Amino acid sequence: MPGINKFAKLTSVESALQALLNLCSPIGRTVKVDLEYADGRVVSRDVIAPRDNPHYDVCQVDGYAVRACDTAGCQGGRVLRPAAGGQVGPGTYVQVHTGGALPEGADAVVRMEDTDPADGGRLFYNEVKAGENVLARGSILRKGDVACAAGVQLKPTDIALLAKLGLTGVEVFERPRVLIVPTGDELVERGKEPGPGTVNESNGIMCFLFIKRYGGKPALYDIVRDDPSMIAEALKMGSRYDLIVTTGGTSVGVRDRMEEVVSRMGKVLVHGVALKPGRPMGIGYVESGDRRTPIVFLPGLTEACASTMLTFVVPAIRKLGHYPPLHPRREKARLTRGLPGFPGANAFHKLYIEGGMATPVPLMGGAPRPGDYVYAIVPESIEKYEEGEEVETVYLE
Amino acid sequence: MPGINKFAKLTSVESALQALLNLCSPIGRTVKVDLEYADGRVVSRDVIAPRDNPHYDVCQVDGYAVRACDTAGCQGGRVLRPAAGGQVGPGTYVQVHTGGALPEGADAVVRMEDTDPADGGRLFYNEVKAGENVLARGSILRKGDVACAAGVQLKPTDIALLAKLGLTGVEVFERPRVLIVPTGDELVERGKEPGPGTVNESNGIMCFLFIKRYGGKPALYDIVRDDPSMIAEALKMGSRYDLIVTTGGTSVGVRDRMEEVVSRMGKVLVHGVALKPGRPMGIGYVESGDRRTPIVFLPGLTEACASTMLTFVVPAIRKLGHYPPLHPRREKARLTRGLPGFPGANAFHKLYIEGGMATPVPLMGGAPRPGDYVYAIVPESIEKYEEGEEVETVYLE
């Protein structure tokens, strides 16, 4: 029977990931979004400051605007008089608030607490230099400066800066559009009662949530039977997307038709990766006219679907969407039990963290309880991590 | 002038945070959400498995279902015959697929690749034990078991498990509702052209995005003037929320009326914290009938608004919403320049990371460029971190 031993030779995780990323060109489509929706989005072209920031000379403390020269040598106490008409002249001051405009004629501000009331005005004890406690117009940004460079993934403080500059929206890259195609004769829709041999579809919703969480715009196709023409129809629809992710049908059984269909519609570059669970995964593209749409076909086993989603699809989405690398927390933890490797493949494990100790748990199927779940990989070169050994864990999901 | 030196005595960050968290009781309101919207939400009561998982005996490989006893001592090769009618009897097999139901009469599955075609059936070479390559009904969860415990913050793999069990939704805690009240005579609406002395409101949108990002449900009130009765009106509205966050009016100037209003409507517990920027921050509650709504009043200076938001409001939202602690990545980085402390307060800094080196940048106002921005705190006990020193940084935002 052809193909039975095809997974005897597996592509390394690194090579497979590289093959996928080579297929994924960062998307060029952009969209202008209101600032309320800009958090986490990636700026698609330099934002130019439409005005100086600040756009006036700003008093930085509550106090009194003065001419700095009037405070020279005033430490013993010097009385200045309130200015008339809001304009500061020799020997006078105007009361100001933090954030207010520096009155005409003044070049510095003295803090309220460095003065005292006095007959006919206030006593000043602190010498200030010109510009002291003043934020000069344009000192942060000049009109025409780049206020936020293309490629920045916006955070709330960045967006506050844009709002300060008078902007209400920003041009960002569209989120990569990903079509998820769950396949399998055994699948029944979510919420319907399955019989023996059939199961509720769950990989699709899981992929949907992963893709959304990491910056993609997922669309979930209906369940597709293990029928090449129906799969082909779905993939044809998928060629309008930036990435196609299918689940199921990737192994070597008679109902595993994914490789055959992808080969016919484009090319399979990788089938079988050194990741356990996850070995039957494939990578390729489908062609439609001039357009090549990358496709990742994930195994139907939910554990394998999750491990390959995190290992391959998430980085692909990050690249497509111009996103910077993720920064999941990584921590050492000591194993309460041994963690087996797998000959010829990286073994992907889930661990439950409690008091710095890591207990291996099933990738799926345990009943989750509150607390921290992390992931750890046993490289193929290692037979087993021993109980009590310290391993690197990552807060991946 | 009363109050001028009130910030001479500052509450420590730890004490202030504790005071705030003491005011914040995790909310009791729950809501049933569809699984598509359940990512990141916190389960409010144990989810009980409505059926066994798996709900039938599952073949775990593509191959042949047999009676294990028929494979005893078969290593030299033994021919079994195809069973008639899908039911496995002595000396017979039924072809099965991964995920399919184990046929009646069988108690194990032999992998396809461990057999060969033979006259009248297939040759079997591998002895299997009863239960081998079979996932028994209910072996993951029994009907009635806790499938997901209250308090779990759902992740995509958890949600896949719920979908597998036939569920389409899950009961979760509501997100904490937070009313954001930006105050200040100097504020003009987003996008409107400000004159000297007035600025576009930006703290409100920043708080909105922070609160949303960390699990709250923010609502942004209109800009409120520095007028006690207008502030009071806004806070009265805020008493219907789980938390009120105001910006501006927290210092000691004549336009800083926040403390006065909160004192009148409830109680101020903390005013002035040992965080720079951020010192004029306050914590208290407003009363309305029996109900006490915690309020955090943040400084109007955007840098201080951001530092206090991250230090105080984010943990408050996490507690209100039953969320587990955040796990931001923490890393050591070497300073390219000295990082000044501040006498009597923790100094909150932003750093730009490049090749493992950390360069201090303004909290606001730099023009962000692509790359990693992190935060670091110089504790009040330290005068300065020196150039070349290694400091702990945190990917906080």
Side-chain angles (χ1 to χ4, degrees):
Chain A
M1 180 166 284
I4 276 189
N5 290 310
K6 71 191 314 175
F7 294 134
K9 173 124 183 52
L10 300 171
T11 304
S12 74
V13 168
E14 295 69 29
S15 302
L17 180 58
Q18 198 52 59
L20 173 59
L21 294 181
N22 288 346
L23 292 174
C24 294
S25 303
I27 59 178
R29 300 184 312 274
T30 64
V31 59
K32 187 155 185 178
V33 293
D34 285 350
L35 295 187
E36 290 99 302
Y37 301 102
D39 192 24
R41 305 299 296 266
V42 177
V43 174
S44 59
R45 62 169 171 187
D46 289 352
V47 177
I48 302 301
R51 62 179 184 231
D52 290 343
N53 179 24
H55 60 279
Y56 60 93
D57 294 327
V58 183
C59 300
Q60 293 196 286
V61 294
D62 289 326
Y64 301 94
V66 296
R67 300 178 343 141
C69 57
D70 285 347
T71 67
C74 74
Q75 288 86 339
R78 177 176 303 159
V79 176
L80 302 181
R81 289 165 291 111
Q87 185 165 344
V88 175
T92 66
Y93 65 83
V94 165
Q95 184 171 3
V96 295
H97 305 291
T98 304
L102 187 71
E104 225 177 301
D107 60 5
V109 179
V110 177
R111 293 193 302 171
M112 182 184 286
E113 49 266 54
D114 295 335
T115 69
D116 268 323
D119 274 353
R122 293 193 75 84
L123 264 166
F124 287 74
Y125 303 98
N126 262 42
E127 201 175 296
V128 286
K129 293 187 299 285
E132 197 157 332
N133 295 323
V134 175
L135 185 66
R137 174 179 180 148
S139 58
I140 295 177
L141 284 173
R142 292 261 171 215
K143 180 178 174 175
D145 282 353
V146 173
C148 188
V152 165
Q153 187 180 22
L154 292 168
K155 300 174 178 186
T157 53
D158 302 324
I159 295 167
L161 173 66
L162 301 183
K164 260 182 206 301
L165 290 169
L167 303 172
T168 56
V170 59
E171 198 181 291
V172 297
F173 288 109
E174 270 193 20
R175 292 198 192 89
R177 287 180 294 158
V178 184
L179 185 67
I180 304 159
V181 183
T183 77
D185 286 347
E186 75 283 10
L187 300 180
V188 303
E189 277 170 49
R190 228 171 22 257
K192 284 202 177 158
E193 192 61 27
T198 65
V199 293
N200 286 120
E201 204 289 300
S202 61
N203 288 331
I205 176 92
M206 183 175 73
C207 290
F208 181 94
L209 296 173
F210 270 127
I211 289 165
K212 195 168 161 206
R213 174 185 272 225
Y214 292 114
K217 191 170 179 180
L220 187 49
Y221 201 86
D222 288 340
I223 293 167
V224 172
R225 302 286 142 223
D226 292 314
D227 170 321
S229 69
M230 293 172 84
I231 295 172
E233 194 181 324
L235 301 196
K236 201 169 159 196
M237 165 73 80
S239 66
R240 297 187 210 158
Y241 286 73
D242 298 305
L243 177 67
I244 306 169
V245 172
T246 66
T247 71
T250 68
S251 193
V252 295
V254 291
R255 299 197 309 189
D256 292 301
R257 313 300 291 270
M258 199 53 71
E259 181 180 31
E260 163 197 340
V261 177
V262 177
S263 294
R264 210 170 57 223
M265 297 180 69
K267 192 169 180 184
V268 172
L269 301 177
V270 171
H271 191 195
V273 296
L275 181 67
K276 165 77 179 168
R279 285 174 298 165
M281 197 204 68
I283 292 166
Y285 57 83
V286 297
E287 284 178 314
S288 174
D290 286 348
R291 191 172 155 71
R292 286 182 175 179
T293 305
I295 177 168
V296 186
F297 40 106
L298 306 182
L301 183 74
T302 306
E303 291 84 338
C305 186
S307 70
T308 50
M309 168 58 64
L310 284 164
T311 307
F312 297 101
V313 179
V314 170
I317 290 167
R318 304 300 290 182
K319 181 171 180 195
L320 286 166
H322 302 255
Y323 294 106
L326 291 173
H327 284 297
R329 184 174 183 129
R330 288 170 190 278
E331 260 174 13
K332 299 276 183 189
R334 205 167 288 284
L335 292 170
T336 60
R337 287 206 303 271
L339 205 59
F342 189 84
N346 292 339
F348 193 90
H349 291 280
K350 196 184 220 177
L351 305 164
Y352 184 71
I353 297 290
E354 222 162 8
M357 301 293 287
T359 299
V361 295
L363 273 177
M364 292 287 302
R369 52 191 170 125
D372 292 327
Y373 290 87
V374 297
Y375 290 90
I377 287 165
V378 185
E380 54 178 299
S381 58
I382 293 188
E383 198 178 314
K384 186 186 181 186
Y385 286 133
E386 299 297 336
E387 177 185 333
E389 201 168 337
E390 221 182 37
V391 296
E392 188 183 65
T393 66
V394 52
Y395 286 82
L396 200 54
E397 191 188 356
Chain B
M1 178 169 285
I4 275 190
N5 290 312
K6 73 190 313 175
F7 295 135
K9 174 123 183 52
L10 300 171
T11 304
S12 74
V13 168
E14 296 68 30
S15 303
L17 180 58
Q18 199 51 60
L20 174 59
L21 295 180
N22 288 346
L23 291 174
C24 294
S25 304
I27 58 179
R29 301 185 310 275
T30 65
V31 58
K32 186 155 183 177
V33 294
D34 284 350
L35 295 186
E36 290 100 301
Y37 301 101
D39 192 24
R41 304 299 296 266
V42 177
V43 174
S44 59
R45 61 170 171 187
D46 290 353
V47 178
I48 302 302
R51 62 180 185 232
D52 289 343
N53 179 25
H55 60 278
Y56 59 92
D57 294 327
V58 183
C59 301
Q60 293 196 285
V61 295
D62 288 327
Y64 302 94
V66 296
R67 302 179 339 142
C69 58
D70 285 347
T71 67
C74 75
Q75 286 87 341
R78 178 177 302 160
V79 176
L80 301 181
R81 289 165 291 111
Q87 184 163 346
V88 175
T92 66
Y93 64 84
V94 165
Q95 184 170 2
V96 295
H97 306 290
T98 304
L102 188 71
E104 225 177 300
D107 60 6
V109 178
V110 177
R111 294 191 302 170
M112 182 183 286
E113 50 266 53
D114 294 335
T115 70
D116 269 321
D119 274 354
R122 294 192 74 85
L123 265 165
F124 288 75
Y125 303 100
N126 262 42
E127 201 173 297
V128 287
K129 293 187 298 287
E132 196 157 332
N133 295 322
V134 174
L135 185 67
R137 174 177 182 150
S139 58
I140 295 177
L141 284 173
R142 291 261 171 217
K143 180 177 175 176
D145 281 352
V146 173
C148 188
V152 166
Q153 186 180 22
L154 292 168
K155 300 174 177 185
T157 52
D158 301 325
I159 295 167
L161 173 66
L162 301 183
K164 259 181 206 300
L165 289 170
L167 303 172
T168 56
V170 59
E171 197 181 292
V172 297
F173 288 109
E174 270 193 21
R175 292 197 192 89
R177 288 180 293 159
V178 184
L179 186 66
I180 304 158
V181 183
T183 76
D185 287 346
E186 75 284 8
L187 301 180
V188 303
E189 276 171 51
R190 222 164 36 251
K192 283 201 179 158
E193 192 61 27
T198 65
V199 294
N200 287 120
E201 204 289 301
S202 62
N203 288 331
I205 176 91
M206 182 175 74
C207 290
F208 181 93
L209 296 172
F210 270 126
I211 289 165
K212 195 167 161 205
R213 175 185 271 225
Y214 291 115
K217 191 170 180 181
L220 187 49
Y221 201 85
D222 289 340
I223 293 168
V224 172
R225 303 287 142 221
D226 292 314
D227 170 320
S229 70
M230 293 172 83
I231 296 172
E233 196 182 321
L235 300 196
K236 200 168 160 199
M237 166 72 80
S239 66
R240 296 188 211 159
Y241 287 73
D242 298 305
L243 176 66
I244 307 169
V245 172
T246 67
T247 72
T250 68
S251 193
V252 295
V254 291
R255 299 195 312 189
D256 291 302
R257 313 300 292 270
M258 198 54 71
E259 183 181 30
E260 162 196 341
V261 177
V262 177
S263 293
R264 210 170 56 223
M265 297 180 68
K267 192 169 182 186
V268 172
L269 300 177
V270 171
H271 192 195
V273 296
L275 181 67
K276 164 77 178 167
R279 283 174 299 165
M281 196 204 69
I283 293 166
Y285 57 81
V286 297
E287 285 178 314
S288 174
D290 285 349
R291 193 171 153 72
R292 287 181 174 179
T293 306
I295 177 167
V296 186
F297 39 107
L298 305 182
L301 182 73
T302 307
E303 291 84 336
C305 185
S307 70
T308 50
M309 168 59 64
L310 285 165
T311 308
F312 297 101
V313 179
V314 170
I317 291 167
R318 304 299 292 181
K319 182 171 180 196
L320 286 166
H322 302 256
Y323 295 106
L326 290 172
H327 284 298
R329 184 174 183 129
R330 289 171 190 276
E331 259 173 13
K332 298 275 183 192
R334 204 167 287 284
L335 292 170
T336 61
R337 286 206 303 273
L339 204 59
F342 189 85
N346 291 340
F348 192 88
H349 291 279
K350 196 184 220 177
L351 305 164
Y352 184 72
I353 298 289
E354 222 163 9
M357 301 293 288
T359 298
V361 294
L363 272 178
M364 293 285 302
R369 52 194 170 121
D372 292 328
Y373 290 87
V374 297
Y375 290 89
I377 287 164
V378 185
E380 54 178 299
S381 57
I382 292 187
E383 198 179 315
K384 186 187 181 186
Y385 285 133
E386 299 296 337
E387 176 185 332
E389 202 168 335
E390 223 182 35
V391 296
E392 188 182 65
T393 67
V394 52
Y395 286 83
L396 199 54
E397 191 187 357

